[in-house]
Amino acid sequence: MRTAAAILSFVLAVALLPVGAAAAVGSASSLPGGKTTFVVSQGHLKAASQQNWVRLGSYRFAANGTVSAATYLWWQRHPQARQRTGTVPDQSCTTKAGGKQARPRTCEVLTAGGFTGAPDESRTGTYTMSGSVLTIRWKIAQAWTEQWYVRTSPDGRLARLDLKQSTLATHGYGYGSNAAIGTRRAMSSVKAFPRALRQDLTSWAGGKLVTAGNQPFGLSAFRACSATTSCLTYLQPSSNTACQKEGGCPKYGGGTRPNITSIQYYLTMISKSDRRDTLWHWCTCLAMERGEFCYTGNSHVKPLMQIIDDTGAFRGWVGAEASFSTGSRATDMLAVLRISDFR
């Protein structure tokens, strides 16, 4: 559990609304997209800053115009080490051998620090709808207002939030339905998802922002684990841009004689009682450079929250990357992302 010093000053001193004050703010028809429960990812990502942060969690809207949030916070000012999940995929979907294999290595999956525990923050506020624009005013010590465009999926089972503006965040995604936050789908259902998922993200690394959209997410390439059923794995055989000689693999990466550019991927459930999953990936050559079987360096840890529609069906994830460097803040990797069939 993160100490109080690690929490942004402007999320302290959450105040409850006065009795009856929220009743006039909204009505049942003003729920955003007609939905009560959203999973939300947002971040403050600026190229010149090393004070960036990302948040991931849930928003719950009531018909009386009030909203509550429960979120995890990862902030460069208080970097957290990667955390063990306790999940080690079995050998039906991994291998204990090195070298060129068809399966990723048998390693305990890591996630962002604190994500296996309770959310860092809770806050309340009020909201209004004006046309397709949702406005949230959080009741905290510092003024914090968010505005989101609300879009409804063609089947009406899902609402999407696209960040319009915020006094604190620069990027954000959200999805909501009337399914309870405790409703989630097992990895078997995730693996069986029949439609195409695509990813949008904005990432920060090395003082640069990169925005990528409409990227295919190859869920069908992941392998189900027969014993560790909470996990899916995938060994990407090669990469044209990652895992290169100049990218930290001078002995084993792309452009060297071994020319190893494979990437180890692990997708794991964090909790049976809520929407938390996590994605962990790293270049094989990075572990080889360190003489390791399981990489202990700057791997990518991406906490995720499942998107669940009104019928309880899986529709993707919103997520954040919170990969704090074991060296300097200049080599941290942060991102805000969504992976969904409704974009």
Side-chain angles (χ1 to χ4, degrees), residues 15-25 64 66 124-126 139:
L16 295 176
L17 286 173
V19 175
V25 176
N64 66 359
T66 60
T124 61
T126 60
K139 308 292 286 187

Side-chain angles (χ1 to χ4, degrees), residues 219-238:
L219 185 59
S220 62
F222 280 75
R223 183 192 299 261
C225 304
S226 59
T228 317
T229 57
S230 61
C231 194
L232 304 175
T233 67
Y234 169 52
L235 180 68
Q236 181 177 324
S238 62

Side-chain angles (χ1 to χ4, degrees), residues 45 61 241 282:
L45 301 173
F61 295 87
T241 56
W282 42 277

Side-chain angles (χ1 to χ4, degrees), residues 27 39 98 150-151 156-157 165 240 245 265 269 289 301 307:
S27 64
V39 287
V150 182
R151 318 292 187 195
R157 298 172 179 173
Q165 64 181 24
N240 293 328
K245 177 180 180 180
Y265 283 93
M269 176 184 70
E289 296 285 343
V301 283
I307 301 167

Side-chain angles (χ1 to χ4, degrees), residues 4 22 72 125 134 154 193 207 213-214 231 319:
Y72 296 86
L134 164 68
F193 185 71
N214 201 32
C231 194

Side-chain angles (χ1 to χ4, degrees), residues 22-202:
V25 176
S27 64
S29 61
S30 67
L31 286 168
K35 312 303 182 185
T36 59
T37 304
F38 286 73
V39 287
V40 177
S41 172
Q42 61 179 300
H44 175 277
L45 301 173
K46 292 187 176 181
S49 176
Q50 291 187 15
Q51 297 293 314
N52 295 300
W53 54 260
V54 292
R55 280 181 164 90
L56 180 66
S58 61
Y59 289 2
R60 302 188 197 187
F61 295 87
N64 66 359
T66 60
V67 57
S68 61
T71 53
Y72 296 86
L73 166 66
W74 295 280
W75 191 20
Q76 281 187 296
R77 187 174 293 182
H78 298 284
Q80 286 187 286
R82 292 158 183 79
Q83 182 177 35
R84 296 178 180 272
T85 63
T87 297
V88 180
D90 64 82
Q91 290 190 63
S92 69
C93 57
T94 60
T95 179
K96 289 188 176 181
K100 294 184 177 180
Q101 300 290 331
R103 292 170 290 172
R105 299 181 176 194
T106 307
C107 298
E108 182 176 358
V109 179
L110 304 183
T111 190
F115 195 53
T116 62
D120 301 303
E121 310 168 328
S122 62
R123 58 188 178 275
T124 61
T126 60
Y127 75 92
T128 57
M129 286 293 303
S130 178
S132 63
V133 176
L134 164 68
T135 300
I136 300 173
R137 294 176 176 83
W138 296 111
K139 308 292 286 187
I140 59 173
Q142 178 177 341
W144 185 358
T145 301
E146 300 174 1
Q147 286 191 316
W148 304 80
Y149 292 110
V150 182
R151 318 292 187 195
T152 303
S153 62
D155 59 15
R157 298 172 179 173
L158 202 62
R160 189 183 80 222
L161 300 181
D162 299 327
L163 188 65
K164 181 176 186 288
Q165 64 181 24
S166 170
T167 52
L168 298 181
T170 58
H171 302 82
Y173 302 110
Y175 287 85
S177 71
N178 290 312
I181 194 64
T183 302
R184 62 160 294 123
R185 294 277 70 84
M187 281 298 159
S188 56
S189 296
V190 171
K191 170 65 177 171
F193 185 71
R195 294 187 293 277
L197 294 173
R198 303 190 80 84
Q199 176 179 257
D200 301 301
L201 64 81
T202 297

